[in-house]
Each structure stands twice: as C-alpha cells, then as structure tokens.
Amino acid sequence: MSPRYAVADTCFVIDWSYYRRRDVLFEVFSRVLVPENVLREVEDEKTIVWLSKKLASGDMVLFTPLSEDLRKAERLALLVASKPHLRNIELPEAVCLVVGKRMEAVVLTENRGAWLAASTLDELLGVEVWRALEVLAEALKKGLIKASSREDVVAVFNEYSRDTRHVFPTRDLEETVREVVACLVGRR
C-alpha cells in the first residue's frame, strides 16, 4: 500500500493532542502535514509540546504553502462565504483543503464548514475530509485500537470525548459505531 498522507488544521491538532492514544494517528497515516499558518494559530502549551515532538520525529511535517495554494485558498474562502448554504471557513482550513486536493491527502478537521465545502463544491471534488470520528473508526477497523464488542467501540469514542471534551454529533456517532461494529463482525 502506498503511503497515506493527511493535512491537519488547527482545531483537529489541538483536540488530538489531548487524546491519550494520539499516536494511533501515525499508524493510520504515514505523515501528517501541518501548514505554517496552522502552527501559528496554536497557543496551547500541551499542543505545542506534542507538535514539537512529532515534528522532530518526522511523523508530522511543517510546510509553507505555495503562493498558488494561498491564492486558491483565498479564492476558496471567498467562494464559500458567497454561498449562503455553506458555513464560512478561514484561511487555514482553506489552505488544508487546497493542499489536500493537490496532494491527494486526507484533510483532518473538526470544522463543519470545511466538510460541507468539500462535499458540495466542484472545486474540491475528490477531497476526503475526516474528523476524529473517521480517524478513530479507521483505527478500530484496522485493529490499531482493539475492540471486540459494540461496548468496546462506544468506549473508544467516549474515551476520546472525555480526553478532548469534543462531542460527536449523535447521529454521526451512532452511524459510525454501527459501521465499525459491522466491520468487526465481518472479520470474525
């Protein structure tokens, strides 16, 4: 299998830095790219320490977006703002979406506006956007986080919520739990 890359935005990085099993991220993805403008937004000490360690180890890679990426991101943010049915995105999220498209990398974000833009706009056709919900589901399906029952699967998502104070949308969580449990049952 070829290496799978991801591009992470600020909200994802901050939340993920508080998760006790945060290193599973680097079993799901071979590299996580962090745009400079995302790094500049991080003020939380725990997140900065984690990012520093991961950048030093090479699990995360800091990069400067190309001038063309920044221009496209600015246009994308304006386009999204002009669409009443979409939620606004800021430049760091737009940069992640543009770079995700260019590099065929998964965009990691908790920003609903970024997810809506990727699932709605032709300009972002093919861009995969994952939240922690999808990362955890993938880790469970691949056996990177062990679970043998529905209760175990629910416990993993609850653990993430307790560690990060992130609340998953109820319907999305229920659907994801069903999907993961079906995968686990299919493996037996």
Side-chain angles (χ1 to χ4, degrees), residues 70-148:
L70 290 172
R71 282 192 297 278
K72 285 181 180 178
E74 288 170 351
R75 284 194 302 269
L76 178 62
L78 290 172
L79 175 64
V80 168
S82 74
K83 307 272 185 197
H85 65 282
L86 296 178
R87 292 183 180 181
N88 287 349
I89 58 173
E90 294 183 19
L91 190 59
E93 288 85 25
V95 166
C96 289
L97 289 165
V98 167
V99 171
K101 178 159 180 85
R102 178 171 57 81
M103 296 188 68
E104 297 180 1
V106 174
V107 175
L108 302 175
T109 184
E110 295 299 338
N111 183 301
R112 184 143 172 86
W115 180 84
L116 285 169
S119 63
T120 309
L121 299 174
D122 291 339
E123 293 84 345
L124 297 174
L125 190 64
V127 175
E128 277 186 86
V129 176
W130 287 15
R131 303 161 292 180
L133 190 68
E134 287 81 17
V135 175
L136 292 170
E138 185 73 3
L140 285 158
K141 289 182 208 173
K142 287 185 169 183
L144 303 172
I145 297 176
K146 303 297 180 211
S148 58

Coordinates of all heavy atoms in Angstrom, one line a residue, residues 70-148:
L70 N -2.0 29.5 -1.6 CA -2.5 30.6 -0.8 C -3.6 31.4 -1.6 O -4.6 31.7 -1.1 CB -1.4 31.5 -0.3 CG -0.5 30.9 0.8 CD1 0.6 31.9 1.1 CD2 -1.3 30.7 2.0
R71 N -3.3 31.6 -2.9 CA -4.2 32.3 -3.8 C -5.5 31.5 -3.9 O -6.6 32.0 -3.8 CB -3.6 32.6 -5.2 CG -2.6 33.8 -5.2 CD -2.3 34.2 -6.6 NE -1.6 33.2 -7.3 CZ -0.3 33.0 -7.3 NH1 0.5 33.7 -6.5 NH2 0.3 32.0 -8.0
K72 N -5.3 30.2 -4.2 CA -6.5 29.3 -4.3 C -7.3 29.3 -3.0 O -8.5 29.3 -3.0 CB -6.1 27.9 -4.7 CG -5.7 27.8 -6.2 CD -5.3 26.4 -6.5 CE -4.9 26.2 -8.0 NZ -4.5 24.9 -8.3
A73 N -6.6 29.2 -1.9 CA -7.3 29.2 -0.6 C -8.1 30.5 -0.3 O -9.2 30.4 0.2 CB -6.2 29.0 0.5
E74 N -7.5 31.6 -0.7 CA -8.2 32.9 -0.5 C -9.4 32.9 -1.4 O -10.5 33.3 -0.9 CB -7.3 34.1 -0.9 CG -6.2 34.3 0.2 CD -5.1 35.3 -0.3 OE1 -5.1 35.7 -1.5 OE2 -4.3 35.7 0.6
R75 N -9.3 32.4 -2.6 CA -10.5 32.4 -3.5 C -11.5 31.4 -3.0 O -12.7 31.7 -3.0 CB -10.1 32.0 -4.9 CG -9.4 33.1 -5.7 CD -9.3 32.8 -7.2 NE -8.6 31.6 -7.5 CZ -7.3 31.5 -7.8 NH1 -6.5 32.6 -7.7 NH2 -6.7 30.4 -8.1
L76 N -11.1 30.3 -2.5 CA -12.0 29.3 -1.9 C -12.7 29.9 -0.7 O -14.0 29.7 -0.6 CB -11.2 28.0 -1.5 CG -12.0 26.9 -0.9 CD1 -13.1 26.4 -1.8 CD2 -11.1 25.8 -0.4
A77 N -12.0 30.5 0.2 CA -12.7 31.1 1.4 C -13.8 32.1 1.0 O -14.9 32.2 1.5 CB -11.7 31.7 2.3
L78 N -13.4 32.9 -0.1 CA -14.4 33.9 -0.6 C -15.6 33.2 -1.2 O -16.8 33.6 -1.1 CB -13.7 34.9 -1.6 CG -12.8 35.9 -0.9 CD1 -12.0 36.6 -2.0 CD2 -13.5 36.8 0.0
L79 N -15.3 32.2 -2.0 CA -16.4 31.4 -2.7 C -17.3 30.8 -1.6 O -18.6 30.9 -1.7 CB -15.8 30.3 -3.5 CG -16.8 29.3 -4.2 CD1 -17.7 30.1 -5.2 CD2 -16.1 28.2 -4.9
V80 N -16.8 30.2 -0.6 CA -17.6 29.6 0.5 C -18.4 30.7 1.1 O -19.6 30.5 1.4 CB -16.7 28.9 1.5 CG1 -17.5 28.5 2.7 CG2 -16.1 27.6 0.8
A81 N -17.8 31.8 1.4 CA -18.6 32.9 2.1 C -19.7 33.5 1.2 O -20.7 34.0 1.7 CB -17.6 34.1 2.4
S82 N -19.6 33.3 -0.1 CA -20.6 33.8 -1.0 C -21.8 32.8 -1.2 O -22.8 33.1 -1.8 CB -20.1 34.0 -2.4 OG -19.8 32.8 -3.1
K83 N -21.7 31.6 -0.6 CA -22.7 30.6 -0.7 C -23.5 30.5 0.7 O -23.0 30.1 1.7 CB -22.1 29.2 -0.9 CG -21.2 29.2 -2.1 CD -22.0 28.9 -3.4 CE -21.0 28.7 -4.6 NZ -21.7 28.8 -5.8
P84 N -24.7 31.0 0.7 CA -25.5 31.0 1.9 C -25.7 29.7 2.6 O -25.8 29.6 3.8 CB -26.8 31.6 1.6 CG -26.7 32.1 0.2 CD -25.5 31.5 -0.4
H85 N -25.7 28.6 1.8 CA -25.9 27.3 2.4 C -24.7 26.7 3.0 O -24.7 25.6 3.6 CB -26.5 26.3 1.3 CG -25.5 26.0 0.2 ND1 -25.3 27.0 -0.8 CD2 -24.8 25.0 -0.1 CE1 -24.4 26.4 -1.7 NE2 -24.1 25.2 -1.2
L86 N -23.5 27.3 2.9 CA -22.3 26.8 3.4 C -21.9 27.7 4.7 O -22.3 28.8 4.8 CB -21.1 26.9 2.4 CG -21.3 26.0 1.2 CD1 -20.1 26.2 0.2 CD2 -21.4 24.5 1.6
R87 N -21.1 27.1 5.5 CA -20.6 27.8 6.7 C -19.2 28.3 6.3 O -18.4 27.6 5.6 CB -20.4 26.9 7.9 CG -21.7 26.4 8.4 CD -21.4 25.5 9.6 NE -22.7 25.1 10.2 CZ -22.8 24.3 11.3 NH1 -21.7 23.9 11.9 NH2 -23.9 23.9 11.7
N88 N -18.9 29.5 6.7 CA -17.6 30.1 6.4 C -16.4 29.3 6.9 O -16.5 28.6 7.9 CB -17.5 31.5 7.0 CG -18.4 32.5 6.2 OD1 -18.9 32.3 5.2 ND2 -18.5 33.7 6.8
I89 N -15.4 29.4 6.1 CA -14.1 28.8 6.5 C -13.0 29.9 6.5 O -13.1 30.8 5.8 CB -13.7 27.6 5.6 CG1 -13.5 28.1 4.2 CG2 -14.6 26.4 5.7 CD1 -12.9 27.0 3.2
E90 N -12.1 29.7 7.4 CA -11.0 30.6 7.5 C -9.8 30.2 6.6 O -9.8 29.0 6.1 CB -10.6 30.8 8.9 CG -11.7 31.5 9.8 CD -11.2 31.7 11.2 OE1 -10.0 31.7 11.5 OE2 -12.1 31.9 12.0
L91 N -8.8 31.0 6.4 CA -7.7 30.7 5.5 C -7.0 29.4 5.9 O -6.7 28.6 5.0 CB -6.8 31.9 5.5 CG -5.7 31.8 4.4 CD1 -6.3 31.7 3.0 CD2 -4.7 33.0 4.4
P92 N -6.7 29.1 7.2 CA -6.0 27.8 7.4 C -6.8 26.6 7.0 O -6.2 25.7 6.4 CB -5.9 27.9 9.0 CG -5.8 29.3 9.3 CD -6.8 30.0 8.4
E93 N -8.1 26.6 7.2 CA -8.9 25.5 6.7 C -8.9 25.4 5.2 O -8.8 24.3 4.6 CB -10.4 25.6 7.2 CG -10.5 25.3 8.7 CD -10.3 26.5 9.5 OE1 -10.4 27.6 9.1 OE2 -9.9 26.3 10.7
A94 N -9.0 26.6 4.5 CA -9.0 26.6 3.1 C -7.7 26.1 2.5 O -7.6 25.4 1.5 CB -9.3 28.1 2.6
V95 N -6.6 26.5 3.2 CA -5.2 26.0 2.8 C -5.2 24.5 2.9 O -4.7 23.8 2.0 CB -4.1 26.7 3.6 CG1 -2.8 25.9 3.4 CG2 -3.9 28.1 3.3
C96 N -5.7 24.0 4.0 CA -5.7 22.5 4.1 C -6.5 21.8 3.0 O -6.1 20.8 2.4 CB -6.3 22.1 5.5 SG -5.2 22.5 6.9
L97 N -7.6 22.4 2.6 CA -8.5 21.8 1.6 C -7.7 21.9 0.2 O -7.7 20.9 -0.5 CB -9.8 22.5 1.5 CG -10.8 22.3 2.6 CD1 -11.9 23.3 2.7 CD2 -11.3 20.8 2.6
V98 N -7.1 23.0 -0.1 CA -6.4 23.2 -1.3 C -5.2 22.2 -1.4 O -5.0 21.5 -2.4 CB -6.0 24.7 -1.5 CG1 -5.0 24.8 -2.6 CG2 -7.2 25.5 -1.8
V99 N -4.5 22.2 -0.3 CA -3.3 21.3 -0.3 C -3.7 19.8 -0.3 O -3.1 19.0 -1.0 CB -2.4 21.6 0.9 CG1 -1.3 20.5 1.1 CG2 -1.8 23.0 0.7
G100 N -4.8 19.5 0.4 CA -5.3 18.1 0.4 C -5.7 17.7 -1.0 O -5.4 16.6 -1.5
K101 N -6.3 18.6 -1.8 CA -6.7 18.3 -3.2 C -5.4 18.1 -4.0 O -5.3 17.1 -4.8 CB -7.5 19.4 -3.8 CG -7.9 19.1 -5.2 CD -9.1 19.8 -5.7 CE -9.4 19.5 -7.1 NZ -10.2 18.3 -7.3
R102 N -4.5 19.0 -3.9 CA -3.3 19.0 -4.7 C -2.5 17.7 -4.4 O -1.9 17.1 -5.3 CB -2.4 20.2 -4.5 CG -1.1 20.2 -5.3 CD -0.4 21.5 -5.2 NE 0.0 22.0 -3.9 CZ 1.0 21.6 -3.2 NH1 1.8 20.7 -3.7 NH2 1.3 22.1 -2.0
M103 N -2.4 17.3 -3.2 CA -1.5 16.2 -2.8 C -2.3 14.9 -2.6 O -1.7 13.9 -2.3 CB -0.8 16.5 -1.5 CG 0.1 17.7 -1.6 SD 1.1 17.9 -0.1 CE 2.2 16.5 -0.2
E104 N -3.6 14.9 -2.9 CA -4.5 13.8 -2.7 C -4.3 13.2 -1.2 O -4.2 12.0 -1.0 CB -4.2 12.7 -3.7 CG -4.4 13.1 -5.1 CD -4.1 12.0 -6.2 OE1 -3.7 10.9 -5.8 OE2 -4.3 12.3 -7.3
A105 N -4.3 14.2 -0.3 CA -4.2 13.8 1.1 C -5.5 14.0 1.8 O -6.3 14.9 1.4 CB -3.1 14.8 1.8
V106 N -5.8 13.3 2.8 CA -7.0 13.4 3.6 C -6.8 14.7 4.5 O -5.8 15.0 5.0 CB -7.2 12.2 4.6 CG1 -8.3 12.4 5.5 CG2 -7.3 10.9 3.7
V107 N -7.9 15.5 4.5 CA -7.9 16.7 5.3 C -8.5 16.4 6.6 O -9.6 15.9 6.7 CB -8.7 17.9 4.6 CG1 -8.8 19.1 5.5 CG2 -8.1 18.2 3.3
L108 N -7.8 16.7 7.7 CA -8.2 16.4 9.1 C -8.7 17.7 9.7 O -7.9 18.7 9.8 CB -7.1 15.8 9.9 CG -6.4 14.5 9.4 CD1 -5.2 14.2 10.2 CD2 -7.4 13.4 9.3
T109 N -10.0 17.7 10.1 CA -10.5 19.0 10.6 C -11.8 18.6 11.4 O -12.4 17.6 11.2 CB -10.9 20.0 9.5 OG1 -11.4 21.2 10.1 CG2 -12.0 19.4 8.6
E110 N -12.1 19.5 12.3 CA -13.4 19.4 13.0 C -14.3 20.5 12.6 O -15.4 20.7 13.1 CB -13.2 19.4 14.6 CG -12.5 18.3 15.2 CD -13.1 16.9 14.9 OE1 -14.3 16.8 14.7 OE2 -12.4 15.9 15.0
N111 N -13.9 21.2 11.6 CA -14.6 22.4 11.0 C -15.7 21.9 10.1 O -15.4 21.4 9.0 CB -13.7 23.3 10.3 CG -14.3 24.6 9.8 OD1 -15.2 24.5 9.0 ND2 -13.8 25.7 10.3
R112 N -17.0 22.1 10.5 CA -18.1 21.6 9.6 C -18.1 22.4 8.3 O -18.5 21.8 7.3 CB -19.4 21.8 10.4 CG -20.6 21.3 9.6 CD -21.6 20.6 10.5 NE -22.8 20.3 9.9 CZ -23.0 19.1 9.2 NH1 -22.0 18.3 9.1 NH2 -24.1 18.9 8.6
G113 N -17.7 23.6 8.3 CA -17.7 24.4 7.1 C -16.7 23.8 6.0 O -17.1 23.7 4.8
A114 N -15.6 23.3 6.5 CA -14.6 22.6 5.6 C -15.2 21.3 5.0 O -15.1 21.0 3.8 CB -13.3 22.4 6.3
W115 N -15.9 20.6 5.9 CA -16.5 19.3 5.4 C -17.6 19.6 4.4 O -17.7 19.0 3.4 CB -17.1 18.6 6.6 CG -17.8 17.3 6.2 CD1 -17.2 16.1 6.0 CD2 -19.2 17.1 6.0 NE1 -18.1 15.2 5.7 CE2 -19.3 15.8 5.6 CE3 -20.3 18.0 6.0 CZ2 -20.6 15.3 5.3 CZ3 -21.5 17.4 5.7 CH2 -21.6 16.1 5.4
L116 N -18.5 20.6 4.7 CA -19.5 21.0 3.8 C -19.0 21.5 2.4 O -19.5 21.1 1.4 CB -20.4 22.1 4.4 CG -21.4 21.6 5.5 CD1 -22.0 22.8 6.2 CD2 -22.5 20.7 4.9
A117 N -18.0 22.3 2.5 CA -17.3 22.8 1.2 C -16.8 21.6 0.4 O -17.1 21.6 -0.8 CB -16.2 23.8 1.5
A118 N -16.1 20.7 1.0 CA -15.6 19.6 0.3 C -16.6 18.7 -0.3 O -16.4 18.1 -1.4 CB -14.6 18.8 1.2
S119 N -17.8 18.6 0.4 CA -18.8 17.7 -0.1 C -19.8 18.4 -1.1 O -20.6 17.7 -1.6 CB -19.6 17.1 1.1 OG -20.2 18.1 1.8
T120 N -19.6 19.7 -1.3 CA -20.5 20.4 -2.1 C -19.9 21.1 -3.3 O -20.6 21.1 -4.4 CB -21.2 21.6 -1.2 OG1 -21.7 21.0 0.0 CG2 -22.3 22.2 -1.9
L121 N -18.7 21.6 -3.2 CA -18.1 22.4 -4.3 C -17.4 21.5 -5.3 O -16.6 20.7 -4.9 CB -17.2 23.4 -3.7 CG -17.8 24.4 -2.7 CD1 -16.7 25.3 -2.1 CD2 -18.8 25.3 -3.5
D122 N -17.6 21.8 -6.6 CA -16.9 21.1 -7.7 C -15.4 21.3 -7.6 O -14.6 20.4 -7.9 CB -17.4 21.6 -9.0 CG -18.8 21.1 -9.3 OD1 -19.3 20.1 -8.7 OD2 -19.5 21.8 -10.2
E123 N -15.0 22.5 -7.1 CA -13.6 22.8 -7.0 C -12.9 21.9 -6.0 O -11.6 21.7 -6.1 CB -13.4 24.3 -6.4 CG -13.8 25.3 -7.4 CD -15.3 25.6 -7.3 OE1 -16.1 24.8 -6.8 OE2 -15.7 26.7 -7.9
L124 N -13.6 21.2 -5.1 CA -13.0 20.3 -4.2 C -13.4 18.9 -4.4 O -13.2 18.0 -3.5 CB -13.4 20.7 -2.7 CG -12.9 22.1 -2.3 CD1 -13.5 22.5 -1.0 CD2 -11.4 22.2 -2.3
L125 N -13.8 18.6 -5.6 CA -14.2 17.2 -5.9 C -13.1 16.2 -5.7 O -11.9 16.5 -6.1 CB -14.6 17.1 -7.4 CG -15.3 15.9 -7.9 CD1 -16.6 15.6 -7.2 CD2 -15.5 15.9 -9.4
G126 N -13.4 15.2 -4.9 CA -12.3 14.2 -4.6 C -11.6 14.4 -3.3 O -10.8 13.5 -2.9
V127 N -11.8 15.5 -2.7 CA -11.1 15.8 -1.4 C -11.8 15.0 -0.3 O -13.0 15.2 -0.1 CB -11.0 17.3 -1.1 CG1 -10.4 17.5 0.3 CG2 -10.3 18.1 -2.2
E128 N -11.0 14.2 0.4 CA -11.6 13.5 1.6 C -11.4 14.3 2.8 O -10.2 14.8 3.1 CB -10.8 12.2 1.8 CG -11.3 11.0 0.9 CD -10.6 9.8 1.4 OE1 -11.1 9.1 2.3 OE2 -9.5 9.5 0.7
V129 N -12.4 14.5 3.6 CA -12.3 15.3 4.9 C -12.7 14.3 6.0 O -13.8 13.7 5.9 CB -13.2 16.5 4.9 CG1 -13.2 17.2 6.2 CG2 -12.8 17.5 3.8
W130 N -11.8 14.2 6.9 CA -12.1 13.3 8.1 C -12.0 14.1 9.4 O -11.2 15.0 9.5 CB -11.0 12.2 8.2 CG -11.1 11.1 7.2 CD1 -11.8 11.1 6.0 CD2 -10.4 9.9 7.3 NE1 -11.5 9.9 5.4 CE2 -10.7 9.1 6.1 CE3 -9.5 9.3 8.2 CZ2 -10.2 7.9 5.9 CZ3 -9.0 8.1 8.0 CH2 -9.3 7.3 6.8
R131 N -12.9 13.8 10.2 CA -12.9 14.3 11.6 C -12.2 13.2 12.5 O -11.9 12.1 12.0 CB -14.3 14.6 12.1 CG -15.1 15.5 11.2 CD -16.6 15.4 11.4 NE -17.0 14.1 10.9 CZ -18.3 13.7 11.0 NH1 -19.2 14.5 11.5 NH2 -18.7 12.5 10.5
A132 N -12.1 13.5 13.7 CA -11.6 12.5 14.7 C -12.5 11.2 14.6 O -12.0 10.1 14.7 CB -11.6 13.0 16.1
L133 N -13.8 11.4 14.4 CA -14.7 10.3 14.3 C -14.2 9.3 13.2 O -14.2 8.1 13.5 CB -16.1 10.8 13.9 CG -17.3 9.9 14.0 CD1 -17.5 9.5 15.4 CD2 -18.5 10.6 13.4
E134 N -13.9 9.8 12.0 CA -13.4 8.9 11.0 C -12.0 8.3 11.2 O -11.8 7.1 10.9 CB -13.4 9.6 9.6 CG -14.8 9.9 9.0 CD -15.5 11.1 9.6 OE1 -14.9 12.0 10.3 OE2 -16.8 11.2 9.5
V135 N -11.2 9.1 11.9 CA -9.8 8.6 12.2 C -10.0 7.4 13.2 O -9.3 6.3 13.0 CB -8.9 9.7 12.7 CG1 -7.6 9.1 13.2 CG2 -8.7 10.8 11.7
L136 N -10.8 7.6 14.2 CA -11.0 6.6 15.2 C -11.6 5.3 14.6 O -11.2 4.2 14.9 CB -11.8 7.1 16.4 CG -11.1 8.1 17.3 CD1 -12.1 8.8 18.2 CD2 -9.9 7.6 18.0
A137 N -12.6 5.6 13.7 CA -13.3 4.4 13.1 C -12.3 3.6 12.2 O -12.3 2.4 12.3 CB -14.4 4.9 12.2
E138 N -11.4 4.3 11.5 CA -10.4 3.6 10.7 C -9.4 2.9 11.6 O -9.1 1.7 11.3 CB -9.6 4.7 9.9 CG -8.6 4.1 8.9 CD -9.3 3.4 7.7 OE1 -10.5 3.4 7.6 OE2 -8.5 2.8 6.9
A139 N -9.0 3.5 12.7 CA -8.1 2.8 13.6 C -8.8 1.5 14.2 O -8.1 0.5 14.4 CB -7.7 3.7 14.8
L140 N -10.0 1.6 14.5 CA -10.8 0.5 15.0 C -10.9 -0.6 14.0 O -10.7 -1.8 14.2 CB -12.2 0.9 15.6 CG -12.2 1.6 16.9 CD1 -13.4 2.4 17.1 CD2 -12.0 0.6 18.0
K141 N -11.3 -0.2 12.8 CA -11.5 -1.2 11.7 C -10.2 -1.9 11.3 O -10.2 -3.1 11.0 CB -12.0 -0.5 10.4 CG -13.4 -0.1 10.5 CD -13.8 0.5 9.2 CE -14.9 1.6 9.3 NZ -15.1 2.3 8.1
K142 N -9.0 -1.2 11.4 CA -7.7 -1.8 11.1 C -7.2 -2.6 12.3 O -6.1 -3.2 12.2 CB -6.8 -0.7 10.7 CG -7.0 -0.2 9.3 CD -5.9 0.8 8.9 CE -6.0 1.2 7.5 NZ -4.9 2.1 7.0
G143 N -7.8 -2.5 13.4 CA -7.3 -3.2 14.6 C -6.2 -2.5 15.3 O -5.5 -3.1 16.1
L144 N -6.0 -1.2 15.0 CA -5.0 -0.4 15.6 C -5.4 -0.1 17.0 O -4.5 0.1 17.9 CB -4.7 0.8 14.8 CG -4.3 0.6 13.3 CD1 -4.2 1.9 12.6 CD2 -2.9 -0.1 13.3
I145 N -6.7 0.0 17.2 CA -7.3 0.1 18.6 C -8.1 -1.1 18.7 O -9.0 -1.3 17.9 CB -8.1 1.4 18.8 CG1 -7.2 2.7 18.6 CG2 -8.8 1.4 20.1 CD1 -8.0 4.0 18.7
K146 N -7.9 -1.9 19.7 CA -8.6 -3.2 19.9 C -10.0 -3.0 20.4 O -10.2 -2.2 21.4 CB -7.8 -4.1 20.8 CG -6.4 -4.4 20.4 CD -6.3 -5.1 19.1 CE -4.9 -5.4 18.7 NZ -4.7 -5.4 17.2
A147 N -10.9 -3.7 19.8 CA -12.3 -3.7 20.3 C -12.9 -5.0 19.8 O -12.7 -5.4 18.7 CB -13.1 -2.5 19.7
S148 N -13.7 -5.6 20.6 CA -14.3 -6.9 20.2 C -15.9 -6.8 20.4 O -16.5 -7.8 20.0 CB -13.8 -8.0 21.1 OG -14.0 -7.8 22.4

